[in-house]
Amino acid sequence: MAIEKTESFESKKEETAEVIGSKLSRYFGISPEEADEQQMYQAVVMSVRDVLAGYNKELIAKTKQQSSKQVFYLCMEFLMGRTLKLNLNNLGLEDVYRDYLSQYGFSLDAIYEREPDPGLGNGGLGRLAACFMDALASQDYPGKGFSILYEYGLFKQRIVDGEQMELPDIWLPDGGECWLVPRQDKKVTVNFGGTVREEWRENHLEIIQEGCTVVEAIPYDMFISGAGTRTVNTLRLWKATDPDTFDMQAFSQGQYVKAMEDRAMASAISKVLYPADNHHEGKLLRLSQQYFLVSASLQNILGNHLAQYKTLKNLPDKVAIHINDTHPALAIPELMRILMDQHHFSWDEAWDITVHTISYTNHTVLPEALEVWNENLFALKLPRIHMIVKEINERFCREAWNCNVGDWNKVGRMAILDHGMVHMANLSVIGSHHINGVSELHSDILKKTIFRDYYDMYPRRFCNVTNGIAHRKWLCYSNPSLAALLDETIGTGYRKNPEELEKFSAYSEDASILQRLEDIKRRNKHDFAGYIKETKGVLIDPDSIFDVQAKRMHEYKRQLMNALHIIDWYLRLKENPDMDVRPKTFLFAAKAAPGYYFAKDVIRLICYIGAEIEKDPAIRKKMRVVFLENYNVTLAEHLIPAADISEQISLAGKEASGTGNMKFMINGAVTIGTLDGANVEMAELLGRDNIFIFGHTAQEVEELWRKGYSSSDYYNRNPRLKRAVDALQPGFNGRSFADIGKYLLYSVGISDPFMCLADFDFFSEAHERVRAAYEDRGRWNRMALQNIAKAGFFAADRCIRQYAENIWHIKPVE
Ligand code: 26W
């Protein structure tokens, strides 16, 4: 597209040239003509950072001046992905930079490729936090994210002979650092271990913590731009270091290692992100990370509040603190600690402030993901926090007893401390004014199952906010051709107001628009094929159907059921190689937690099926199975606009919401999915003609469990399923997968715990429907169009407005 060079364009370009020129000269002592691509990348980032810093300063001043209430979003993960393209687009400066760079022979797209993909998150939870930051800024809400500056983000995945290898993700020196502004002036200290002594002093109880290990927390700020606004928020990332208390005595006595030890212990806290998703490990370092994040953030929030208002009494009027899942739940006792120990509030006053300040989102009901800590270790690491949690627990149990006299079991179930364990979800519910799930179904399940007892006691605390995605990032910026078609047909209003996507429905009978949609998809598929050929050396046929399942590898997400269907299809093709079918490419992308043996076995299975098919030229023409390594935000941005079919096939009741489902939908992929998480709401909005729903519902799953689920019944009844499962024994490409067969049929305990076999038949049948629909090009394109048109609801903008209005009670700054 030709760039329109207006007067303002030229003046912005001049400014840009000046700033970049001065960065290059200051940091590298060179001129733009002398810069290499990496130096230019860094200068570009620093120049953008400067623009954002200026706007951020304005916002801080405005927020102060208007005494606006702010939200502070505490989360152990922010899966930001690259941000240069996003920032330039949000600021409306992409063309300016493109033009400037071309003058010196640089391509902006190549500069984009220089940016590392900061993987400070595992999956859904972390990416949601990143989408929320975008929506807050874009709608002028004053809000700040808090997390940890992990030196190593989520591991990089390499697949070698079907095996997942984990490599360290060294993102900071690799070009990530230049986004960050260190704020030494805002550093705080966090105490661990030691003992607690109480002493009466001038009519208050003084709490003295002694013999603690002190860790310094230094904030590094990343700026968060909004689209078409000057609102720029911050994401504050804490780095842990030792507070220069080098043990000189130990050192001079020859105990060199001991002298270094404390230093190493302190910085270990922000070294790595735990790579387990939806699985609690109970590791003490993880508990330290959680307290470190919470304590540093609260000190910062309260310090600023006090400086402005000189009191903490009005905290809930000016501050909303949100805990994203239970990982930052220690914010509850930590806030109590600061209010009581440092500001001498009474228990009741402090508790009132705490509960009115904190809110909590639950993101999972999987029992293995719910955090519990061994109480003894907890007390050792956080003695003062333990005392406070004990007191919260005692007072709560008394209240619960009064509401449920005689029902010890119920009170026991709801207690925070039980059988030597600390239950973080219970703490979170007890200390929050609102608790929400992330889809209608999930919020319902919370009220009926894991939080049922609390729902009886505090019905008004529970609500639902269905997740949403940053639609500009996932549609406008990653699928520019589709965005251009939308701009042309429905105008550009949807970029700011995603609900306006609905207007696209009016074109559902317009043959020329439907054809253009098809053309855009085809082009995206070609682009994607080119991209993965270049970046991963993988060849795929862009004219085949792209059937995609991209998400963390987990049993409940049932990549295995997808694999079983693929095996069945492969065996049918082998039997009948002349079958007249349109070629299909099954694409998988997924990281498995390094210690999750079964998930890694499923990766292996998918790769080995793929490899066996590659050896058979007749089959390879009709179906291929490709595992794309190192799924991250950048790969998702390329892959999703190219997908025809989106696989959202978790066992109903297990996927809290899903957000990948929304990203595929808004890019015109058609979903094949179970009635789980937000799929339910997608189906309601789309109507059953525009989505392929299959399988047992959450309620039916429950009934099946109650009746006694037997996977072998399904296996014995269905010859095609039997044949697919049996094929695991001899296996693929020379490797047996008998263990997976055993898991499905003969496990000690429960076989096939996620009911792959129970849904297999429905799934195959749904795939048949998909195939037929795809052959009717007009119908398929109409479905794609409806998916795009109905996706506005799933924008993070809507979602954040609901949080702002119903939970946080914050307003946009003027
Ligand atoms: C302590 C180990 C651990 C780590 C991460 C437990 C739980 C988690 C996350 C809460 C798991 C997660 O990311 N959940 C996903 O959250 C998304 C955003 O709400 C939802 O869309 C997904 O359905 C949910 O699985």
Side-chain angles (χ1 to χ4, degrees):
M1 224 181 339
I3 295 172
E4 196 193 338
K5 295 184 180 173
T6 59
E7 209 173 292
S8 112
F9 180 94
E10 289 303 339
S11 89
K12 277 185 196 156
K13 200 174 122 190
E14 239 167 70
E15 262 172 58
T16 302
E18 208 179 297
V19 180
I20 294 181
S22 82
K23 296 286 178 203
L24 286 170
S25 133
R26 183 149 152 221
Y27 290 95
F28 306 108
I30 52 173
S31 67
E33 289 83 359
E34 294 164 303
D36 66 22
E37 203 175 68
Q38 184 62 20
Q39 290 164 328
M40 188 50 100
Y41 158 75
Q42 291 193 22
V44 163
V45 168
M46 286 187 281
S47 72
V48 175
R49 199 187 69 188
D50 280 3
V51 178
L52 297 175
Y55 288 172
N56 177 251
K57 219 166 140 196
E58 280 176 20
L59 176 82
I60 293 172
K62 262 193 275 181
T63 311
K64 230 182 192 158
Q65 187 205 342
Q66 296 173 19
S67 304
S68 316
K69 184 172 182 182
Q70 296 182 67
V71 63
F72 299 93
Y73 199 80
L74 270 52
C75 186
M76 290 285 283
E77 307 184 7
F78 278 85
L79 191 46
M80 300 301 290
R82 290 171 171 169
T83 54
L84 179 56
K85 184 177 180 181
L86 177 79
N87 283 323
L88 286 180
N89 274 287
N90 277 348
L91 293 168
L93 289 175
E94 195 181 44
D95 286 344
V96 171
Y97 272 71
R98 195 181 291 283
D99 198 53
Y100 164 79
L101 286 167
S102 69
Q103 215 174 298
Y104 296 99
F106 292 104
S107 123
L108 179 59
D109 296 319
I111 295 279
Y112 285 154
E113 290 302 315
R114 287 266 155 191
E115 188 176 3
D117 182 319
L120 309 188
N122 274 285
L125 169 97
R127 184 53 231 176
L128 185 78
C131 285
F132 280 7
M133 294 309 290
D134 179 280
L136 276 167
S138 295
Q139 296 177 108
D140 302 315
Y141 287 114
K144 203 172 193 168
F146 281 106
S147 194
I148 292 176
L149 183 69
Y150 300 105
E151 200 175 315
Y152 301 95
L154 186 61
F155 65 87
K156 283 192 176 153
Q157 181 197 51
R158 291 278 164 274
I159 302 290
V160 181
D161 193 19
E163 222 64 42
Q164 168 176 295
M165 303 287 180
E166 297 102 22
L167 304 176
D169 168 38
I170 307 167
W171 69 285
L172 283 164
D174 197 28
E177 221 154 31
C178 40
W179 282 116
L180 300 169
V181 182
R183 295 294 304 263
Q184 281 285 346
D185 56 314
K186 295 277 181 192
K187 74 179 173 199
V188 294
T189 57
V190 180
N191 292 339
F192 292 94
T195 51
V196 181
R197 194 157 56 79
E198 298 176 342
E199 213 174 78
W200 273 105
R201 269 190 214 160
E202 298 165 26
N203 66 32
H204 74 262
L205 191 64
E206 186 78 15
I207 302 290
I208 304 144
Q209 290 184 254
E210 290 169 323
C212 307
T213 303
V214 180
V215 176
E216 218 162 62
I218 304 169
Y220 284 72
D221 287 349
M222 191 182 272
F223 296 116
I224 308 288
S225 59
T229 161
R230 287 170 84 104
T231 298
V232 170
N233 284 325
T234 39
L235 169 59
R236 180 155 279 186
L237 302 171
W238 297 101
K239 177 180 174 161
T241 62
D242 173 66
D244 273 337
T245 49
F246 189 71
D247 191 344
M248 204 53 215
Q249 207 184 346
F251 189 80
S252 49
Q253 287 169 0
Q255 295 180 24
Y256 308 123
V257 175
K258 189 187 171 316
M260 304 301 282
E261 241 166 33
D262 276 357
R263 269 193 113 79
M265 290 269 285
S267 55
I269 290 182
S270 57
K271 272 275 181 283
V272 283
L273 163 75
Y274 274 92
D277 183 75
N278 259 312
H279 189 90
H280 171 66
E281 289 190 89
K283 291 274 195 309
L284 212 53
L285 180 61
R286 168 86 175 181
L287 181 66
S288 301
Q289 290 186 328
Q290 297 185 348
Y291 184 63
F292 172 75
L293 163 64
V294 154
S295 179
S297 308
L298 281 178
Q299 290 180 57
N300 187 246
I301 297 165
L302 299 192
N304 288 341
H305 182 90
L306 261 180
Q308 187 174 357
Y309 299 103
K310 317 289 177 231
T311 173
L312 291 175
K313 282 193 175 146
N314 64 344
L315 193 73
D317 303 332
K318 299 294 169 194
V319 166
I321 296 176
H322 199 82
I323 57 176
N324 205 23
D325 215 275
T326 57
H327 320 151
L330 294 173
I332 294 160
E334 177 67 359
L335 181 51
M336 289 296 285
R337 184 187 71 80
I338 300 176
L339 291 170
M340 294 189 304
D341 298 1
Q342 294 181 354
H343 300 279
H344 311 304
F345 280 85
S346 71
W347 180 280
D348 289 333
E349 285 172 317
W351 185 245
D352 191 61
I353 292 175
T354 300
V355 179
H356 283 94
T357 303
I358 291 184
S359 49
Y360 152 60
T361 301
N362 171 287
H363 296 266
T364 180
V365 292
L366 296 188
E368 65 269 32
L370 298 182
E371 291 192 298
V372 287
W373 299 102
N374 175 294
E375 191 180 344
N376 290 329
L377 292 181
F378 187 95
L380 221 64
K381 198 48 89 204
L382 309 167
R384 179 59 185 147
I385 292 298
H386 176 242
M387 288 167 73
I388 294 171
V389 169
K390 256 171 80 171
E391 184 67 26
I392 297 176
N393 183 54
E394 266 174 41
R395 288 173 184 244
F396 170 76
C397 287
R398 238 173 282 147
E399 186 190 342
W401 177 255
N402 289 336
C403 301
N404 305 280
V405 180
D407 196 344
W408 273 118
N409 281 339
K410 189 166 179 184
V411 176
R413 279 199 304 268
M414 296 166 88
I416 303 168
L417 303 175
D418 189 43
H419 289 90
M421 300 305 256
V422 188
H423 294 258
M424 302 302 270
N426 295 3
L427 173 63
S428 305
V429 173
I430 292 166
S432 301
H433 57 86
H434 277 84
I435 298 118
N436 75 285
V438 289
S439 69
E440 291 285 354
L441 176 67
H442 168 63
S443 297
D444 237 49
I445 291 175
L446 287 181
K447 291 191 282 193
K448 288 190 185 131
T449 63
I450 63 170
F451 295 149
R452 192 187 66 201
D453 300 328
Y454 298 105
Y455 180 59
D456 287 345
M457 227 169 127
Y458 310 122
R460 289 154 57 105
R461 287 191 188 187
F462 288 84
C463 61
N464 173 61
V465 186
T466 298
N467 280 167
I469 56 163
H471 77 287
R472 286 165 292 268
K473 182 180 180 75
W474 293 106
L475 164 65
C476 307
Y477 310 153
S478 62
N479 195 346
S481 331
L482 177 56
L485 177 64
L486 289 165
D487 290 348
E488 186 191 317
T489 47
I490 62 171
T492 56
Y494 73 95
R495 289 174 177 252
K496 229 18 202 172
N497 302 309
E499 289 78 7
E500 289 186 26
L501 280 171
E502 178 71 49
K503 292 185 192 164
F504 200 40
S505 275
Y507 295 86
S508 63
E509 300 303 325
D510 183 327
S512 79
I513 295 298
L514 292 173
Q515 186 56 48
R516 283 175 68 187
L517 262 188
E518 186 178 324
D519 296 343
I520 288 167
K521 187 61 87 183
R522 185 177 321 108
R523 223 171 313 125
N524 287 345
K525 287 165 73 174
H526 275 264
D527 288 351
F528 181 70
Y531 174 75
I532 61 157
K533 182 174 165 214
E534 195 180 311
T535 56
K536 309 208 185 260
V538 175
L539 291 176
I540 53 173
D541 170 13
D543 296 319
S544 62
I545 302 172
F546 285 7
D547 179 322
V548 185
Q549 188 173 15
K551 49 182 79 252
R552 282 300 287 252
M553 181 62 67
H554 206 294
E555 283 158 88
Y556 84 86
K557 296 180 187 278
R558 301 201 291 192
Q559 282 94 349
L560 176 57
M561 186 174 70
N562 197 350
L564 285 174
H565 167 254
I566 289 170
I567 294 171
D568 171 45
W569 189 244
Y570 168 54
L571 298 175
R572 282 163 71 187
L573 270 179
K574 263 197 3 187
E575 220 170 36
N576 180 5
D578 297 327
M579 205 175 356
D580 180 24
V581 286
R582 196 185 282 264
K584 201 177 218 182
T585 304
F586 295 95
L587 292 152
F588 288 87
K591 285 179 181 174
Y596 194 168
Y597 179 81
F598 186 78
K600 287 181 154 180
D601 215 17
V602 176
I603 293 183
R604 216 174 280 131
L605 170 66
I606 293 164
C607 293
Y608 274 73
I609 300 170
E612 181 165 315
I613 291 173
E614 284 310 296
K615 288 184 178 164
D616 188 332
I619 307 272
R620 183 171 79 198
K621 270 197 294 198
K622 303 206 165 137
M623 74 180 292
R624 296 178 85 178
V625 180
V626 174
F627 192 97
L628 301 165
E629 64 183 7
N630 203 37
Y631 187 49
N632 60 9
V633 173
T634 301
L635 180 57
E637 286 172 281
H638 285 94
L639 171 62
I640 293 172
D644 294 305
I645 298 166
S646 156
E647 299 273 357
Q648 308 299 335
I649 59 177
S650 51
L651 176 64
K654 300 292 179 195
E655 187 72 89
S657 159
T659 43
N661 46 2
M662 303 169 187
K663 292 163 199 162
F664 283 99
M665 178 186 183
I666 206 167
N667 280 283
V670 176
T671 301
I672 168 163
T674 45
L675 280 177
D676 201 13
N679 295 355
V680 176
E681 288 152 83
M682 283 165 52
E684 269 162 23
L685 282 163
L686 287 165
R688 292 293 176 98
D689 289 347
N690 295 309
I691 183 168
F692 296 93
I693 294 293
F694 72 94
H696 289 81
T697 63
Q699 212 182 342
E700 288 164 353
V701 168
E702 278 310 305
E703 275 156 28
L704 251 185
W705 282 132
R706 259 204 308 278
K707 281 196 258 168
Y709 173 58
S710 162
S711 58
S712 50
D713 290 354
Y714 294 87
Y715 168 84
N716 289 320
R717 271 207 304 262
N718 182 339
R720 262 176 45 201
L721 170 59
K722 182 169 186 307
R723 186 172 69 163
V725 174
D726 288 347
L728 294 166
Q729 166 68 39
F732 303 92
N733 205 31
R735 185 169 184 139
S736 166
F737 289 91
D739 280 357
I740 297 182
K742 251 191 237 156
Y743 162 94
L744 290 171
L745 290 172
Y746 313 112
S747 277
V748 199
I750 325 151
S751 297
D752 187 20
F754 294 93
M755 298 186 170
C756 293
L757 303 201
D759 274 346
F760 175 86
D761 212 19
F762 295 125
F763 184 50
S764 305
E765 182 262 341
H767 264 287
E768 294 305 321
R769 285 190 278 145
V770 172
R771 274 192 188 276
Y774 194 87
E775 290 313 313
D776 181 346
R777 300 310 294 142
R779 173 171 173 217
W780 186 270
N781 294 335
R782 237 179 344 265
M783 288 174 82
L785 185 142
Q786 285 302 344
N787 271 270
I788 299 161
K790 295 292 187 310
F793 175 77
F794 299 106
D797 287 358
R798 180 271 312 154
C799 179
I800 280 297
R801 267 195 319 271
Q802 290 182 326
Y803 277 101
E805 286 164 19
N806 305 334
I807 299 179
W808 303 329
H809 305 295
I810 58 169
K811 292 198 174 70
V813 287
E814 282 151 31

